[in-house]
Each structure stands twice: as structure tokens, then as C-alpha cells.
Amino acid sequence: MSTIQWYPGHMAKAKRQIQEQLKLVDVVIEVVDARLPESSRNPELNQLIQHKDHLIILNKSDLADPQVTKQWLQYYQGEGLASLALDSQHGQPLNPVLRATKQLLATKLAQQAAKGIKETTIRAMCVGIPNTGKSTFLNRMIGKNVAQVGNRPGVTRKQNWLKTQQNFAILDTPGVLWPKFADQLIGQKLALTGAIKEGLYHEDDIVLFALAFYQANYPQLLQQHYQLSAEQLQLAPVDLLMALTKKLGFRDEYERMVTRFLLDYRKGKLGRITLDQVPATWQATVHD
Ligand SMILES: Nc1nc2c(ncn2[C@@H]2O[C@H](COP(=O)(O)OP(=O)(O)O)[C@@H](O)[C@H]2O)c(=O)[nH]1
Ligand SMILES: [Mg+2]
């Protein structure tokens, strides 16, 4: 997995690539990370795609808190945005994506049918910030490894259509977009999930952020995985990090604990957690 360091030139190219591809498609499939559905969206995508039909895929839902994923889906529905939770790594995304896309394009498809056009192919493109699982998603949609792996933004080359069953075609090169940079909290979440290039953040800081987040939101998961006592769970994050370092036999080499924690988190060993909560205003209203 290699992520990109974004420069204005990269961003301009990525934008241009998406604008070109947009002309070719009926629907934009935005792949976000279900553990951070809002933080892993590109800040300019809505503006870029204007009124083009748009489906949000909350990918890696196997790593996210299922309750919170449900809330996000309801939230997007309330906002009039089509969304779908998927696990592209282990699941079969094709049928749910076809169903959601056909629903989204229902009016357009009905109009075409009324004109006597029966066999139209739905054309889609896939976009998202690095590491949300776009290549994995595309490969799963097609049932073989065809999508370009790698994260070079704005690499222009000939576009190929990947044909799936049931008259659905998708461009083989996902549009790689830049993440939200402006907000420090969002940056920490993106770094934790691996969406930001290593070396652009301090791993120690990210682990301290993560420990505090677990302590506040998912203490039992931390307790279970590392067999912590109730007292240890209450420690300040920096002391907790040192306690974990000792517990795992790393003596005072806390850097090893930092590396281990990031690996454990990214592999999902620390349980299913979601870093982005739905907006408080939405939570305040009653939802079943
Ligand atoms: N657990 C899990 N891992 C996934 C899923 N989709 C992709 N991944 C992993 O996430 C990493 C990034 O995936 P990739 O498809 O290269 O992301 P891209 O940068 O958006 O093209 C890889 O290690 C994938 O194996 C998913 O649904 N669940
Ligand atoms: Mg990729």
C-alpha cells in the first residue's frame, strides 16, 4: 500500500481526470472507508460532480462498528444520498451495487424504456481518496484482478471499460482524489487507518490519539485484546502506552508498541470501531 503526498499539481491533474471521465458515465461511485465515512470523503467531490447521480460506498464495513454504519446509512438516506455498506475484500459487491444503481437511475431508465430503448448499458466510474479499497472493489466487481493497483493520481492513459454482468460497465481506472487536509482531527483519523503516507505524521501521536479514542468510546475492546485491568484502562494515554509496552514484553521500547498497535488496529485485531460519528444534530432526533 503506498499513499500519495499531494501537491497542487497532483490535485489539478486528479481533478482534470475526473472531469474528463465524468462526461462518459451515468453514475459516480464514491468509495469511502466505513470507519470514517465523512473524513474519508474528498472535500471537493460534490462540487466536481455537480448533479451527476452519485452512490456512496461505505467500504471496509467489516472493520467498522455495525451499529454506527447503520446510522450513517440512515443519515445519508435522510440527506437524499444513495449509500451502501460493503466489504469488498471478502464479499460480493456486484449485485448490491447493481440494485442500488438501478434504483438511483430508475427515472432515467424508465424514460429510456418509454422511448423503446431496452438494452442500455449503465456506465459508472469509481472515485475516492487513497486506500479506501477502490482497486479491491473494482476487482471484485469484475471477478478477477484487472484494476490497476497503485496510487498515482492523475495518471492519464487510455480508459478501458470493465464489463460486468447485466449491462453494467465501469471504468478500469479509479479517480484518486486528495483527502481533507485542513482539520487536525481528521488528519489523525486518516493516519490511523493508513490513508496518509507514512512519514507525514508522527506514529506516536497517532497511537496516543487512538488510545484516547478507544478509552472514550470502545474501552472494552482495548481491555479484551490486551487483557488490561480496570485501573490500566483509566490511565492517561501516554501512561497506558508505557503499560502496554511493558505488558507485551518490549521493556521500555515503546516504539515497538507503537508499531504493534498500528498493525493490530489496521488488521482489525482491535475490534470493529468507527471513528466518525454521525452529526450530533442527527443523533438528537429519534431514529430506530
Ligand atoms: N478489511 C477490508 N480490507 C479491505 C477492503 N477493501 C480493501 N481492503 C484493503 O485495503 C487496502 C487498500 O485497498 P486498495 O484496493 O488498494 O485501495 P485503493 O487505494 O482505494 O485502490 C488493501 O490492503 C486491501 O486489501 C474491505 O472491504 N475490507
Ligand atoms: Mg488503487
Side-chain angles (χ1 to χ4, degrees), residues 32 132 152 177 211 218 241:
V32 303
T132 56
R152 284 188 296 149
L177 285 163
L211 287 173
Y218 298 92
L241 176 61

Side-chain angles (χ1 to χ4, degrees), residues 131 134-136 148-151 174 176:
N131 198 45
K134 296 174 295 301
S135 302
T136 308
Q148 268 201 331
V149 180
N151 278 317
V176 183

Side-chain angles (χ1 to χ4, degrees), residues 104-244:
L104 189 59
L105 299 176
T107 313
K108 200 167 160 181
L109 294 174
Q111 282 166 353
Q112 286 175 342
K115 284 189 207 152
I117 309 167
K118 283 194 192 93
E119 291 290 297
T120 52
T121 298
I122 297 173
R123 292 176 189 276
M125 67 188 274
C126 171
V127 299
I129 69 164
N131 198 45
T132 56
K134 296 174 295 301
S135 302
T136 308
F137 168 73
L138 284 181
N139 288 332
R140 274 298 205 185
M141 287 288 285
I142 308 309
K144 53 184 181 212
N145 287 352
V146 281
Q148 268 201 331
V149 180
N151 278 317
R152 284 188 296 149
V155 181
T156 36
R157 56 178 197 95
K158 192 176 169 292
Q159 295 292 340
N160 289 310
W161 292 100
L162 303 171
K163 302 258 165 49
T164 76
Q165 299 151 9
Q166 305 181 52
N167 300 323
F168 188 85
I170 187 161
L171 285 173
D172 71 342
T173 313
V176 183
L177 285 163
W178 61 96
K180 295 173 180 172
F181 298 115
D183 183 298
Q184 199 203 349
L185 176 61
I186 292 177
Q188 288 171 320
K189 294 176 180 179
L190 289 167
L192 179 58
T193 57
I196 295 181
K197 195 182 168 82
E198 280 170 39
L200 293 182
Y201 55 89
H202 289 288
E203 292 193 340
D204 309 2
D205 292 340
I206 298 310
V207 170
L208 292 176
F209 157 75
L211 287 173
F213 189 87
Y214 268 92
Q215 286 177 299
N217 299 285
Y218 298 92
Q220 72 288 0
L221 293 180
L222 205 55
Q223 187 167 27
Q224 277 161 19
H225 187 73
Y226 294 118
Q227 303 290 311
L228 296 170
S229 67
E231 290 74 40
Q232 285 173 319
L233 213 49
Q234 302 293 327
L235 291 170
V238 69
D239 296 321
L240 177 57
L241 176 61
M242 293 318 294
L244 284 168

Side-chain angles (χ1 to χ4, degrees), residues 4 15 75 85 89 120 125 148 152 179 203 247 249 277:
I4 308 152
K15 215 161 153 170
Y75 169 78
Q89 179 105 312
T120 52
M125 67 188 274
Q148 268 201 331
R152 284 188 296 149
E203 292 193 340
K247 201 171 174 71
Q277 301 296 323

